[in-house]
Amino acid sequence: MQWSRRQALALAGAGAAATVLPLAGSAAAADDPYATLLARAEEQLTGGAFDADDADFAAALTALDTQAAAWWRSVDTSAGRTALWADLAPASDPAKFGQSYQRLRTIATAWATRGTSLTGDAAVLAGLLDALRLLHDVGYNTTRAESGNWWYWEIGAPRALMDLCVLLRVHLSETDLASYLATVAKFVPNADRRTNYPTLAETGANRADKAVIVALRGLLSGASDVVALARDGISDVRDAGRNSLFRYVTSGDGFYADGSFVQHDYVAYTGTYGSVLLGSAGQLIALLAGSAWAVTDAGVTVLYEAVERTFSPVLFDGVMMDALRGRAVSRERARDHTDGATAVANILQLAAGAPQAYADRWRAAAKGWILRNRETPYATLVGIPALATAKAVVADPAIRPAARLTGHHVFADMDRVVHRRPAWALALSLSSQRIAAYEAGNGENLHGWYTGDGMTYVYDGDDLDAFGDGFWPTVDPYRLPGTTVDTRARVDLGTAGGTSTYRPKNAVAGGAALGGRYGAAAMELTAEGSTLHAKKAWFCLDNAVVALGCDIRAGDGRTIETVVENRNLHAGGAPALTVDGHRQPADQGWSAELTDARWAHLDGTGGYVFPSGGPLRALREERTGSWRDVNTGADTAGTTTPVTRRYATLWFDHGVSPTAASYAYVLLPGASATTTASWSRSRPVRVLANSPTVQAVACSRLGLLAAHFWAAGDVDGLSADGPGTVLVVRRDGGVSVAVADPGRTATTLTVRLPFPVRAVVRADDTVQVRPGRRPVLTVQVGGSRGHTHSAELA
């Protein structure tokens, strides 16, 4: 029997004793567009119909039920209460009522989902309705002005509250619903502006979240103009598209044409805020599809293109690379596997309404990610709605899982570099005067000091938990792989309210990609709170990454180190470490100074070659910390439970206040000890220069010569008249050239090649070529924001 809305409200208001099931989304009146879309919104929260006996669904249902039931049992129902839970008191505090709404949403989702212990329970329904009234009366209502963190008032609380109203809509009294909608209308009148700072236009993920809130408010109130306001908000109709989610930006927040995503003006944030934008925009597109308010902006292709430009390169077997997660790396309940699964779910959600060609590729990619990640199965990371979508993809024999993505990606607009091979991937986290070295605040990312100083992440298909298994609370934060650091003691970051970033003064951070396969990157390190300065470069080839450092100097009387590796060996790992053919002790606490090491190998990780020898230091240690050590946030604080992990660390000790120190090492991810030893002897890649003028390598097998020029110079016949990155490959009768100015300081860069060129096969419009015995390329690098310019010659 179909209840009218008014009959359902009357029954709920009368406190009917019988078990009450939620109004099914499928029962929405066909001629009522609001009811139809609200039923769709409910299904987005519950997953609709599914087989509760299916093992995967049963596990997800149990997880939902366990958490919801625990929170339901612990609700304070005493007279005179000022909060719903003791740990979230008082409910007048924005962080407390914000989290309270989120807990209530979990309980309501379990109540509205078939197969839980709370499903349709009349007592649970009555408790939810009563709890909402309490939060409204003492916490979130139209009489209050914003205080504390704006996010709870304008996104956190209203998003959860609108979801609650969707789930409980046929049982809310008209008075209560009107009160909740009025409160949300006050704090989120539109998606365009920050309510507590009306001159600030919303951008990126925040705009997307607010658009969903406004849309749900419009549907719940039956206000067509409000729903249209939400739709128009993601396109920024108000400001003629200036902050549209469907346009490429060239500065500030949003998607960049090179695949970068930035939020908070200066932070590389693909893995969290970028994914939130993708999820919220995708949800709104799916919610309004086929209605009078459907999203028809042709610019939505920017969102479609972002899946493969922005997200796919930084997902490794479904794991989101930490270099793109900002301060979220410190969140115990949101590790790289979790954020990766969220991104995959958001991609599959978008696929439901995308053109077929896009959707087919995305589903194939997602199937590959899901099937390859066996360490933390996807089904254990997502809720029922996302699981239902994924199971359909995995079960479809017509969808063939895509292989791992390979290639070299320079995200010049966010100072990140990703190099991908069939069995492994490497990510470089760089920083400059344009992109922050770290973001911290609101108690998050307390030890993020060096995460943007060239930190090097190596992902291996055989160990997907290297950075997700208790890494951040236990790793030595002064010895992050790839970084050159001053060993001074640091104080915790981000202990005050609000978030803040640190942008160093250096201009150079980035590099060039050649043919999407090889790359070179560089960063000038100007350390925070120290006189430490260094010039760092990386050269990414088929099976190796060469790292060079020079001009390392400091004058503060402290030791300077460059960290080659600091590998998480997990709770009980003791893989063999071999140096120059000699197996080193496996005892915890072992350390050694290896004065002239030529190569090393760590079982299960790969090899390391040292072209210039030592002095290399090595250490095995067992470290204990807690997630609370790195995150004390109001709603993200880690537990104080001790976490212990083992590490193998290799580093160069440059001594106290070095004046002209340098280093050279080669990473061989996944290589065997035999291969590493052979590589060390044969030197298939030669270091041509490691000086303050130029850092360069050559590989004769590939016909490759790669250099970063810090100033005008010449190396092996390749010259440049100023700073820039140059890669040249000469093979099979052709010559490929890639050039970039990662410092963004030049207008043109003139490059001379060391061999003759007869003709130009293809060249970017920005590249002029003068063929001949010593060909000259004149590259218009000005205004290109550090992006690569290329040419094919014969």
Side-chain angles (χ1 to χ4, degrees), residues 74 79 92 115 165 237-238 248 266 289 371 381 442 488 504 516 524 533 571 582-583 651 653 675 683 688 700 705 723:
S74 60
S92 57
C165 290
V237 171
R238 172 175 175 170
Y248 290 119
Y266 312 112
L371 293 178
L381 297 170
N442 293 323
R488 72 188 182 98
E524 182 177 14
H533 174 276
H582 302 287
R583 185 164 179 165
W651 76 95
D653 185 337
T675 298
R683 300 287 176 87
L688 301 178
S700 58
L705 175 58

Side-chain angles (χ1 to χ4, degrees), residues 237-254:
V237 171
R238 172 175 175 170
D239 290 318
R242 184 181 306 137
N243 299 293
S244 171
L245 304 183
F246 304 145
R247 64 182 288 268
Y248 290 119
V249 300
T250 56
S251 65
D253 295 353

Side-chain angles (χ1 to χ4, degrees), residues 129 133 136 165 171-181:
L129 298 177
R133 294 186 193 106
H136 176 264
C165 290
H171 306 294
L172 287 167
S173 72
E174 292 183 355
T175 300
D176 285 345
L177 180 59
S179 296
Y180 306 152
L181 293 175

Side-chain angles (χ1 to χ4, degrees), residues 670-690:
S672 66
T674 301
T675 298
T676 304
S678 175
W679 210 101
S680 177
R681 290 191 302 269
S682 61
R683 300 287 176 87
V685 179
R686 294 180 297 125
V687 177
L688 301 178
N690 189 18

Side-chain angles (χ1 to χ4, degrees), residues 330-353:
S330 67
R331 297 173 183 167
E332 183 175 7
R333 296 179 295 279
R335 64 192 187 112
D336 52 1
H337 287 262
T338 309
D339 279 347
T342 299
V344 173
N346 292 338
I347 289 169
L348 288 176
Q349 174 182 249
L350 191 64

Side-chain angles (χ1 to χ4, degrees), residues 271-288:
T272 49
Y273 284 95
S275 182
V276 168
L277 189 161
L278 186 71
S280 292
Q283 179 186 352
L284 190 61
I285 291 169
L287 177 63
L288 302 181

